[in-house]
Coordinates of all heavy atoms in Angstrom, one line a residue:
M124 N -124.7 45.2 -47.1 CA -123.4 44.6 -46.7 C -122.7 45.6 -45.8 O -122.6 46.8 -46.1 CB -122.6 44.4 -48.0 CG -121.2 43.8 -47.7 SD -120.5 43.3 -49.3 CE -118.8 43.2 -48.7
T125 N -122.1 45.1 -44.7 CA -121.4 46.0 -43.8 C -120.0 46.2 -44.3 O -119.4 45.3 -45.0 CB -121.3 45.4 -42.4 OG1 -120.7 44.1 -42.5 CG2 -122.7 45.2 -41.8
S126 N -119.4 47.3 -43.9 CA -118.0 47.6 -44.4 C -117.0 46.8 -43.5 O -117.4 46.5 -42.3 CB -117.7 49.1 -44.3 OG -117.8 49.6 -43.0
S127 N -115.9 46.6 -44.0 CA -114.8 45.9 -43.1 C -113.6 46.9 -43.0 O -113.5 47.9 -43.7 CB -114.4 44.6 -43.8 OG -113.8 44.8 -45.0
T128 N -112.8 46.5 -42.1 CA -111.6 47.3 -41.8 C -110.4 46.4 -41.7 O -110.6 45.2 -41.4 CB -111.8 48.2 -40.6 OG1 -110.6 49.1 -40.5 CG2 -111.9 47.4 -39.3
M129 N -109.2 46.9 -41.9 CA -108.0 46.2 -41.9 C -107.4 46.3 -40.5 O -107.4 47.3 -39.9 CB -107.0 46.7 -43.0 CG -105.7 46.0 -43.1 SD -105.8 44.4 -43.9 CE -106.2 44.8 -45.5
I130 N -106.8 45.2 -40.0 CA -106.1 45.1 -38.8 C -104.7 44.6 -39.1 O -104.5 43.6 -39.7 CB -106.8 44.2 -37.7 CG1 -108.1 44.7 -37.4 CG2 -105.9 44.1 -36.5 CD1 -108.9 43.7 -36.4
H131 N -103.7 45.4 -38.6 CA -102.3 44.9 -38.7 C -101.8 44.5 -37.4 O -101.9 45.3 -36.4 CB -101.4 46.1 -39.3 CG -101.9 46.6 -40.6 ND1 -101.5 46.0 -41.8 CD2 -102.7 47.6 -41.0 CE1 -102.0 46.6 -42.8 NE2 -102.8 47.6 -42.4
V132 N -101.2 43.3 -37.3 CA -100.7 42.8 -36.0 C -99.3 42.3 -36.2 O -99.0 41.6 -37.2 CB -101.6 41.6 -35.6 CG1 -101.1 41.1 -34.3 CG2 -103.0 42.0 -35.4
R133 N -98.4 42.7 -35.3 CA -97.0 42.2 -35.3 C -97.0 41.0 -34.4 O -97.4 41.1 -33.3 CB -96.0 43.3 -34.9 CG -95.9 44.4 -35.8 CD -94.6 45.1 -35.6 NE -94.4 46.2 -36.6 CZ -94.0 46.0 -37.8 NH1 -93.6 44.8 -38.2 NH2 -93.8 47.0 -38.6
V134 N -96.4 39.9 -34.9 CA -96.2 38.7 -34.1 C -94.9 38.0 -34.5 O -94.5 38.1 -35.7 CB -97.5 37.8 -34.3 CG1 -97.6 37.3 -35.7 CG2 -97.4 36.6 -33.3
N135 N -94.3 37.3 -33.6 CA -93.1 36.5 -33.9 C -93.4 35.6 -35.0 O -94.4 34.9 -35.1 CB -92.8 35.7 -32.6 CG -91.6 34.8 -32.8 OD1 -91.7 33.8 -33.4 ND2 -90.5 35.2 -32.2
E136 N -92.4 35.5 -36.0 CA -92.6 34.8 -37.2 C -92.8 33.3 -36.9 O -93.6 32.6 -37.5 CB -91.4 34.9 -38.1 CG -91.5 34.2 -39.4 CD -90.4 34.5 -40.4 OE1 -89.6 35.4 -40.1 OE2 -90.3 33.8 -41.4
S137 N -92.1 32.8 -35.9 CA -92.3 31.4 -35.5 C -93.7 31.1 -35.0 O -94.3 30.1 -35.3 CB -91.3 31.0 -34.5 OG -91.5 29.7 -34.0
V138 N -94.2 32.0 -34.2 CA -95.6 31.9 -33.7 C -96.6 31.9 -34.8 O -97.5 31.1 -34.9 CB -95.9 33.0 -32.7 CG1 -97.4 33.0 -32.3 CG2 -95.1 32.8 -31.4
K139 N -96.4 32.8 -35.8 CA -97.3 32.9 -36.9 C -97.3 31.6 -37.7 O -98.3 31.1 -38.1 CB -96.9 34.1 -37.8 CG -97.9 34.2 -39.0 CD -97.4 35.3 -40.0 CE -98.4 35.2 -41.2 NZ -97.8 35.9 -42.3
T140 N -96.1 31.1 -38.0 CA -95.9 29.8 -38.8 C -96.6 28.7 -38.1 O -97.4 27.9 -38.7 CB -94.4 29.5 -39.0 OG1 -93.8 30.6 -39.7 CG2 -94.3 28.2 -39.8
Q141 N -96.4 28.5 -36.8 CA -97.0 27.4 -36.0 C -98.5 27.6 -36.0 O -99.3 26.6 -36.1 CB -96.4 27.4 -34.6 CG -95.0 26.9 -34.6 CD -94.4 27.0 -33.2 OE1 -95.1 26.7 -32.2 NE2 -93.2 27.4 -33.0
A142 N -99.0 28.8 -35.7 CA -100.4 29.0 -35.7 C -101.1 28.8 -37.1 O -102.1 28.2 -37.1 CB -100.7 30.5 -35.2
T143 N -100.4 29.2 -38.1 CA -100.9 29.0 -39.5 C -101.1 27.5 -39.8 O -102.1 27.1 -40.3 CB -100.0 29.7 -40.5 OG1 -100.0 31.1 -40.2 CG2 -100.5 29.5 -41.9
Q144 N -100.1 26.7 -39.4 CA -100.1 25.3 -39.6 C -101.3 24.7 -38.8 O -102.0 23.8 -39.4 CB -98.8 24.6 -39.2 CG -97.7 25.0 -40.1 CD -96.3 24.5 -39.6 OE1 -96.2 24.1 -38.4 NE2 -95.3 24.6 -40.4
A145 N -101.4 25.1 -37.6 CA -102.5 24.5 -36.7 C -103.9 24.9 -37.3 O -104.8 24.1 -37.4 CB -102.4 25.0 -35.3
L146 N -104.0 26.2 -37.7 CA -105.3 26.6 -38.3 C -105.6 26.0 -39.6 O -106.8 25.7 -39.9 CB -105.3 28.2 -38.4 CG -105.3 28.9 -37.1 CD1 -104.8 30.4 -37.3 CD2 -106.6 28.8 -36.4
T147 N -104.6 25.8 -40.4 CA -104.8 25.1 -41.7 C -105.4 23.7 -41.5 O -106.3 23.3 -42.2 CB -103.5 25.1 -42.5 OG1 -103.1 26.4 -42.8 CG2 -103.7 24.3 -43.8
A148 N -104.8 23.0 -40.5 CA -105.3 21.7 -40.1 C -106.8 21.7 -39.7 O -107.5 20.7 -39.9 CB -104.5 21.1 -39.0
M149 N -107.2 22.9 -39.2 CA -108.6 23.0 -38.8 C -109.5 23.6 -39.9 O -110.7 23.8 -39.7 CB -108.7 24.0 -37.6 CG -108.1 23.5 -36.3 SD -108.3 24.7 -35.0 CE -106.6 25.0 -34.6
G150 N -108.9 23.9 -41.1 CA -109.6 24.4 -42.2 C -109.8 25.9 -42.1 O -110.8 26.5 -42.7
L151 N -109.0 26.6 -41.3 CA -109.1 28.1 -41.1 C -107.9 28.8 -41.6 O -106.8 28.2 -41.6 CB -109.3 28.4 -39.6 CG -110.6 27.8 -39.0 CD1 -110.5 28.0 -37.5 CD2 -111.8 28.5 -39.5
T152 N -108.1 30.0 -41.9 CA -106.9 30.9 -42.2 C -106.7 31.7 -40.9 O -107.5 31.8 -40.0 CB -107.2 31.9 -43.3 OG1 -108.3 32.8 -42.9 CG2 -107.6 31.1 -44.6
V153 N -105.5 32.4 -40.9 CA -105.3 33.3 -39.8 C -106.4 34.4 -39.7 O -106.9 34.7 -38.6 CB -103.9 34.0 -39.9 CG1 -103.6 35.0 -38.8 CG2 -102.8 32.9 -39.8
S154 N -106.7 34.9 -40.8 CA -107.8 35.9 -40.9 C -109.1 35.4 -40.3 O -109.8 36.1 -39.5 CB -108.0 36.4 -42.3 OG -106.9 37.2 -42.7
D155 N -109.5 34.1 -40.7 CA -110.7 33.5 -40.1 C -110.6 33.4 -38.6 O -111.5 33.8 -37.9 CB -110.8 32.1 -40.6 CG -111.1 32.0 -42.1 OD1 -111.7 32.9 -42.7 OD2 -110.8 30.9 -42.7
A156 N -109.4 33.0 -38.1 CA -109.3 32.9 -36.6 C -109.4 34.2 -35.9 O -110.0 34.3 -34.9 CB -107.9 32.2 -36.3
V157 N -108.8 35.2 -36.5 CA -108.9 36.6 -35.9 C -110.3 37.0 -35.9 O -110.8 37.6 -34.9 CB -108.0 37.6 -36.6 CG1 -108.2 39.0 -36.1 CG2 -106.5 37.2 -36.4
R158 N -111.1 36.8 -37.0 CA -112.5 37.2 -37.0 C -113.3 36.4 -35.9 O -114.1 37.0 -35.2 CB -113.1 36.9 -38.4 CG -112.8 38.0 -39.4 CD -113.6 37.9 -40.7 NE -113.2 36.7 -41.4 CZ -112.2 36.6 -42.3 NH1 -111.5 37.7 -42.4 NH2 -111.9 35.6 -42.9
V159 N -113.0 35.1 -35.8 CA -113.7 34.3 -34.8 C -113.4 34.9 -33.4 O -114.3 35.1 -32.5 CB -113.3 32.8 -34.9 CG1 -113.8 32.1 -33.7 CG2 -113.9 32.2 -36.1
F160 N -112.1 35.1 -33.1 CA -111.7 35.7 -31.8 C -112.4 37.0 -31.5 O -112.9 37.2 -30.4 CB -110.1 35.8 -31.9 CG -109.5 36.3 -30.6 CD1 -109.5 35.6 -29.5 CD2 -108.9 37.6 -30.6 CE1 -108.9 36.1 -28.3 CE2 -108.3 38.1 -29.5 CZ -108.3 37.3 -28.3
L161 N -112.3 37.9 -32.4 CA -112.9 39.2 -32.2 C -114.4 39.2 -32.1 O -115.0 39.9 -31.3 CB -112.5 40.2 -33.3 CG -111.0 40.6 -33.3 CD1 -110.7 41.5 -34.5 CD2 -110.5 41.2 -32.0
T162 N -115.1 38.3 -32.8 CA -116.5 38.1 -32.8 C -116.9 37.6 -31.4 O -117.9 38.0 -30.8 CB -117.0 37.1 -33.9 OG1 -116.7 37.7 -35.1 CG2 -118.5 36.9 -33.8
R163 N -116.1 36.6 -30.8 CA -116.4 36.1 -29.5 C -116.3 37.2 -28.4 O -117.1 37.3 -27.5 CB -115.5 34.9 -29.1 CG -115.7 33.7 -29.9 CD -117.1 33.1 -29.8 NE -117.6 33.1 -28.4 CZ -118.8 32.8 -28.0 NH1 -119.7 32.4 -28.9 NH2 -119.1 32.8 -26.8
I164 N -115.2 38.0 -28.6 CA -115.0 39.1 -27.6 C -116.2 40.1 -27.7 O -116.7 40.5 -26.6 CB -113.7 39.8 -27.9 CG1 -112.5 38.9 -27.6 CG2 -113.6 41.1 -27.1 CD1 -111.1 39.4 -28.0
A165 N -116.6 40.4 -28.9 CA -117.7 41.4 -29.0 C -119.0 40.8 -28.5 O -119.8 41.5 -27.8 CB -117.9 41.7 -30.5
A166 N -119.2 39.5 -28.7 CA -120.5 38.9 -28.2 C -120.5 38.7 -26.7 O -121.5 38.9 -26.0 CB -120.7 37.5 -28.9
D167 N -119.4 38.3 -26.1 CA -119.3 38.0 -24.7 C -118.8 39.1 -23.9 O -118.9 39.0 -22.6 CB -118.4 36.8 -24.5 CG -118.8 35.5 -25.2 OD1 -120.0 35.4 -25.5 OD2 -118.0 34.6 -25.4
Q168 N -118.2 40.1 -24.5 CA -117.6 41.2 -23.8 C -116.5 40.7 -22.8 O -116.3 41.2 -21.7 CB -118.6 42.0 -23.0 CG -119.6 42.8 -23.9 CD -118.9 43.8 -24.7 OE1 -118.4 44.8 -24.2 NE2 -118.9 43.7 -26.1
A169 N -115.8 39.7 -23.3 CA -114.7 39.1 -22.5 C -113.9 38.3 -23.4 O -114.3 37.9 -24.5 CB -115.3 38.2 -21.4
L170 N -112.7 38.0 -23.0 CA -111.8 37.1 -23.8 C -112.4 35.7 -23.7 O -113.0 35.3 -22.7 CB -110.4 37.0 -23.2 CG -109.6 38.3 -23.4 CD1 -108.3 38.2 -22.6 CD2 -109.3 38.5 -24.9
P171 N -112.2 34.9 -24.8 CA -112.8 33.5 -24.8 C -112.0 32.5 -24.0 O -112.1 31.3 -24.1 CB -112.9 33.2 -26.3 CG -111.8 34.0 -26.9 CD -111.7 35.3 -26.0
F172 N -111.1 33.0 -23.1 CA -110.3 32.1 -22.3 C -109.9 32.9 -21.1 O -109.9 34.2 -21.1 CB -109.0 31.6 -23.0 CG -108.2 32.6 -23.7 CD1 -107.3 33.4 -23.0 CD2 -108.4 32.9 -25.1 CE1 -106.6 34.4 -23.7 CE2 -107.7 33.9 -25.7 CZ -106.8 34.6 -25.1
A173 N -109.5 32.2 -20.0 CA -109.1 32.9 -18.8 C -107.7 33.3 -18.8 O -106.8 32.6 -19.3 CB -109.4 32.0 -17.6
I174 N -107.4 34.5 -18.4 CA -106.0 35.0 -18.2 C -105.8 35.0 -16.7 O -106.5 35.7 -16.0 CB -105.8 36.3 -18.9 CG1 -105.9 36.2 -20.4 CG2 -104.4 36.9 -18.5 CD1 -105.6 37.4 -21.1
K175 N -104.8 34.2 -16.3 CA -104.6 34.1 -14.8 C -103.2 34.7 -14.5 O -102.3 34.6 -15.3 CB -104.6 32.7 -14.4 CG -106.0 32.0 -14.6 CD -106.0 30.6 -14.2 CE -107.4 30.0 -14.5 NZ -107.4 28.6 -14.2
T176 N -103.1 35.3 -13.3 CA -101.8 35.7 -12.9 C -101.1 34.5 -12.2 O -101.7 33.6 -11.6 CB -101.9 36.8 -11.9 OG1 -102.7 36.4 -10.8 CG2 -102.5 38.1 -12.5
P177 N -99.8 34.5 -12.3 CA -99.0 33.3 -11.7 C -99.3 33.3 -10.1 O -99.4 34.4 -9.5 CB -97.6 33.6 -12.0 CG -97.6 34.7 -13.0 CD -98.9 35.4 -12.9
N178 N -99.3 32.1 -9.6 CA -99.4 32.1 -8.1 C -98.1 32.4 -7.5 O -97.1 32.7 -8.2 CB -99.9 30.7 -7.7 CG -98.9 29.6 -8.0 OD1 -97.7 29.8 -8.2 ND2 -99.4 28.4 -8.2
A179 N -98.0 32.5 -6.2 CA -96.8 32.9 -5.5 C -95.6 32.1 -5.9 O -94.5 32.6 -6.1 CB -97.0 32.9 -4.0
A180 N -95.7 30.7 -5.9 CA -94.6 29.8 -6.2 C -94.1 30.1 -7.7 O -92.9 30.1 -7.9 CB -95.0 28.4 -6.0
S181 N -95.1 30.2 -8.6 CA -94.7 30.4 -10.0 C -94.0 31.8 -10.1 O -93.0 31.9 -10.8 CB -95.9 30.4 -10.9 OG -96.4 29.1 -10.9
R182 N -94.5 32.8 -9.5 CA -93.9 34.2 -9.5 C -92.5 34.1 -9.0 O -91.6 34.8 -9.6 CB -94.8 35.1 -8.7 CG -94.4 36.6 -8.8 CD -94.7 37.2 -10.2 NE -93.4 37.4 -10.9 CZ -93.3 37.5 -12.2 NH1 -94.4 37.6 -13.0 NH2 -92.2 37.7 -12.8
A183 N -92.3 33.4 -7.9 CA -91.0 33.3 -7.3 C -90.0 32.6 -8.3 O -88.9 33.1 -8.4 CB -91.0 32.6 -6.0
A184 N -90.5 31.6 -8.9 CA -89.6 30.9 -9.9 C -89.3 31.7 -11.1 O -88.2 31.7 -11.6 CB -90.3 29.6 -10.3
I185 N -90.3 32.5 -11.6 CA -90.1 33.4 -12.7 C -89.1 34.5 -12.3 O -88.1 34.8 -13.1 CB -91.4 34.1 -13.1 CG1 -92.3 33.0 -13.8 CG2 -91.2 35.2 -14.1 CD1 -93.8 33.5 -14.0
D186 N -89.2 35.1 -11.1 CA -88.3 36.1 -10.6 C -86.9 35.5 -10.5 O -85.9 36.2 -10.9 CB -88.8 36.7 -9.3 CG -90.0 37.5 -9.4 OD1 -90.4 37.9 -10.6 OD2 -90.7 37.8 -8.4
E187 N -86.8 34.3 -10.0 CA -85.5 33.7 -9.8 C -84.8 33.4 -11.2 O -83.6 33.7 -11.4 CB -85.6 32.4 -9.1 CG -84.2 31.7 -8.9 CD -84.3 30.3 -8.2 OE1 -85.5 29.8 -8.0 OE2 -83.3 29.8 -7.8
A188 N -85.6 32.9 -12.1 CA -85.1 32.7 -13.5 C -84.6 34.0 -14.1 O -83.5 34.1 -14.8 CB -86.1 32.0 -14.3
E189 N -85.4 35.1 -14.0 CA -85.0 36.4 -14.6 C -83.7 36.9 -13.9 O -82.9 37.4 -14.6 CB -86.2 37.4 -14.4 CG -87.3 37.0 -15.3 CD -88.5 37.9 -15.1 OE1 -88.6 38.6 -14.1 OE2 -89.4 37.9 -16.0
S190 N -83.6 36.7 -12.6 CA -82.4 37.1 -11.9 C -81.2 36.3 -12.4 O -80.1 36.9 -12.6 CB -82.6 36.9 -10.4 OG -81.4 37.2 -9.7
I191 N -81.3 35.0 -12.5 CA -80.2 34.2 -13.0 C -79.8 34.6 -14.4 O -78.6 34.8 -14.7 CB -80.6 32.7 -13.0 CG1 -80.7 32.2 -11.6 CG2 -79.6 31.9 -13.8 CD1 -81.3 30.8 -11.5
I192 N -80.7 34.9 -15.3 CA -80.4 35.3 -16.6 C -79.7 36.7 -16.6 O -78.7 36.9 -17.3 CB -81.7 35.4 -17.5 CG1 -82.2 34.0 -17.7 CG2 -81.5 36.1 -18.8 CD1 -83.7 33.9 -18.3
K193 N -80.3 37.6 -15.8 CA -79.7 39.0 -15.8 C -78.3 39.0 -15.2 O -77.5 39.7 -15.7 CB -80.7 39.9 -14.9 CG -80.2 41.3 -14.7 CD -81.1 42.1 -13.8 CE -80.5 43.5 -13.6 NZ -81.3 44.2 -12.6
N194 N -78.1 38.2 -14.1 CA -76.8 38.3 -13.4 C -75.8 37.2 -13.9 O -74.7 37.1 -13.4 CB -77.0 38.1 -11.9 CG -77.9 39.3 -11.4 OD1 -77.7 40.4 -11.7 ND2 -78.8 39.0 -10.5
H195 N -76.3 36.3 -14.8 CA -75.4 35.2 -15.3 C -74.9 34.5 -14.1 O -73.7 34.1 -14.0 CB -74.3 35.7 -16.2 CG -74.8 36.5 -17.4 ND1 -75.4 35.9 -18.4 CD2 -74.8 37.8 -17.6 CE1 -75.7 36.8 -19.3 NE2 -75.4 38.0 -18.8
H196 N -75.7 34.2 -13.1 CA -75.3 33.5 -11.9 C -76.2 32.4 -11.6 O -77.4 32.6 -11.3 CB -75.2 34.5 -10.7 CG -74.8 33.9 -9.4 ND1 -74.1 32.8 -9.3 CD2 -75.1 34.3 -8.1 CE1 -73.9 32.5 -8.0 NE2 -74.5 33.4 -7.3
A197 N -75.7 31.2 -11.6 CA -76.5 30.0 -11.3 C -76.9 29.9 -9.8 O -76.2 30.4 -9.0 CB -75.7 28.8 -11.7
R198 N -78.0 29.2 -9.6 CA -78.5 29.1 -8.2 C -77.6 28.1 -7.4 O -77.4 28.2 -6.2 CB -79.9 28.5 -8.3 CG -80.5 28.3 -6.9 CD -82.0 27.8 -7.1 NE -82.5 27.2 -5.9 CZ -83.6 26.6 -5.8 NH1 -84.3 26.4 -6.9 NH2 -84.0 26.1 -4.7
F199 N -76.9 27.2 -8.1 CA -76.1 26.2 -7.5 C -74.7 26.4 -7.9 O -74.4 26.6 -9.1 CB -76.6 24.8 -7.8 CG -78.0 24.5 -7.3 CD1 -79.1 24.6 -8.1 CD2 -78.2 24.1 -6.0 CE1 -80.3 24.4 -7.7 CE2 -79.5 23.9 -5.5 CZ -80.5 24.0 -6.3
A200 N -73.7 26.1 -7.0 CA -72.3 26.3 -7.3 C -71.7 25.2 -8.1 O -70.8 25.3 -8.8 CB -71.5 26.5 -6.0
S201 N -72.4 24.0 -8.0 CA -71.9 22.9 -8.7 C -73.0 21.9 -9.1 O -74.1 22.0 -8.5 CB -70.9 22.1 -7.9 OG -71.5 21.5 -6.8
A202 N -72.8 21.0 -10.0 CA -73.8 20.0 -10.3 C -74.1 19.1 -9.1 O -75.3 18.7 -8.9 CB -73.3 19.1 -11.5
D203 N -73.1 18.8 -8.3 CA -73.3 18.0 -7.1 C -74.3 18.7 -6.1 O -75.2 18.1 -5.5 CB -72.0 17.8 -6.3 CG -71.1 16.7 -7.1 OD1 -71.7 15.9 -7.9 OD2 -69.9 16.7 -6.9
A204 N -74.2 20.0 -6.0 CA -75.0 20.8 -5.1 C -76.5 20.8 -5.6 O -77.4 20.6 -4.9 CB -74.6 22.3 -5.0
L205 N -76.6 20.8 -7.0 CA -78.0 20.7 -7.6 C -78.6 19.3 -7.3 O -79.7 19.2 -6.9 CB -77.9 20.9 -9.1 CG -79.1 20.6 -9.9 CD1 -80.3 21.5 -9.5 CD2 -78.8 20.8 -11.4
I206 N -77.8 18.3 -7.5 CA -78.3 16.9 -7.3 C -78.6 16.7 -5.8 O -79.7 16.1 -5.5 CB -77.3 15.9 -7.8 CG1 -77.2 16.0 -9.3 CG2 -77.6 14.5 -7.3 CD1 -76.0 15.2 -9.9
D207 N -77.8 17.2 -4.9 CA -78.1 17.1 -3.5 C -79.4 17.8 -3.1 O -80.2 17.2 -2.4 CB -77.0 17.7 -2.6 CG -75.7 16.9 -2.7 OD1 -75.7 15.7 -3.1 OD2 -74.6 17.5 -2.3
D208 N -79.6 18.9 -3.7 CA -80.9 19.7 -3.4 C -82.1 18.9 -4.0 O -83.1 18.8 -3.4 CB -80.8 21.1 -4.0 CG -82.0 21.9 -3.6 OD1 -82.1 22.3 -2.4 OD2 -82.9 22.2 -4.5
L209 N -81.9 18.3 -5.2 CA -83.0 17.6 -5.8 C -83.3 16.3 -5.0 O -84.5 16.0 -4.7 CB -82.7 17.2 -7.2 CG -82.6 18.3 -8.3 CD1 -82.1 17.8 -9.6 CD2 -84.0 18.8 -8.5
E210 N -82.3 15.6 -4.5 CA -82.5 14.4 -3.7 C -83.2 14.8 -2.4 O -84.1 14.1 -1.9 CB -81.2 13.7 -3.4 CG -80.7 13.0 -4.7 CD -79.3 12.4 -4.5 OE1 -78.6 12.7 -3.6 OE2 -78.9 11.6 -5.4
K211 N -82.8 15.9 -1.8 CA -83.4 16.4 -0.5 C -84.8 16.7 -0.7 O -85.7 16.3 0.1 CB -82.6 17.6 0.0 CG -83.1 18.1 1.3 CD -82.1 19.2 1.8 CE -82.9 20.5 2.0 NZ -82.1 21.6 2.4
A212 N -85.2 17.4 -1.8 CA -86.5 17.7 -2.1 C -87.4 16.5 -2.4 O -88.6 16.5 -2.0 CB -86.6 18.7 -3.3
S213 N -86.8 15.5 -3.0 CA -87.7 14.3 -3.4 C -87.9 13.4 -2.2 O -88.8 12.6 -2.2 CB -87.0 13.5 -4.5 OG -85.8 12.9 -4.1
S214 N -87.1 13.5 -1.1 CA -87.3 12.7 0.0 C -88.3 13.3 1.0 O -88.7 12.7 2.0 CB -85.9 12.5 0.7 OG -85.4 13.7 1.3
Q215 N -88.7 14.5 0.8 CA -89.6 15.2 1.7 C -91.1 14.9 1.4 O -91.5 14.6 0.4 CB -89.5 16.7 1.6 CG -88.1 17.1 2.2 CD -87.9 18.7 2.0 OE1 -88.7 19.4 1.4 NE2 -86.9 19.1 2.6

């Protein structure tokens, strides 16, 4: 029998709860899922899913959102300006 080791992971409580519910529906525990995940990484020498960087448009949107949050400054001065911009974009 091979020896085992303990892994401690910090994760947001809501994420853990949602993941536990999904895994339970699949008949797995969180520990089972972690073992499957690590086993796949060991076997494939890669993550079992692709990690992609955001494209230029997504990165620009993320940067804009972070700026709005940081500066507490909306992109549009009024709701009318927002609607005008949306209508202009949808007609293109």
Side-chain angles (χ1 to χ4, degrees):
M124 181 172 163
T125 62
S126 63
S127 63
T128 187
M129 181 75 68
I130 297 176
H131 299 274
V132 179
R133 292 202 177 277
V134 64
N135 177 285
E136 186 174 346
S137 175
V138 170
K139 180 185 176 199
T140 300
Q141 292 175 38
T143 300
Q144 290 172 348
L146 291 165
T147 298
M149 293 180 237
L151 297 170
T152 65
V153 172
S154 292
D155 293 334
V157 170
R158 277 191 294 278
V159 168
F160 180 67
L161 294 177
T162 300
R163 291 300 315 171
I164 292 170
D167 299 341
Q168 294 295 297
L170 289 171
F172 49 82
I174 295 185
K175 299 178 182 179
T176 58
N178 63 26
S181 294
R182 185 72 253 163
I185 292 167
D186 290 344
E187 180 182 9
E189 289 173 347
S190 174
I191 289 169
I192 292 167
K193 179 181 175 188
N194 299 318
H195 303 288
H196 178 25
R198 179 175 165 193
F199 298 97
S201 68
D203 287 337
L205 168 63
I206 292 169
D207 290 343
D208 188 70
L209 290 171
E210 288 175 346
K211 184 172 118 181
S213 69
S214 66
Q215 293 178 351

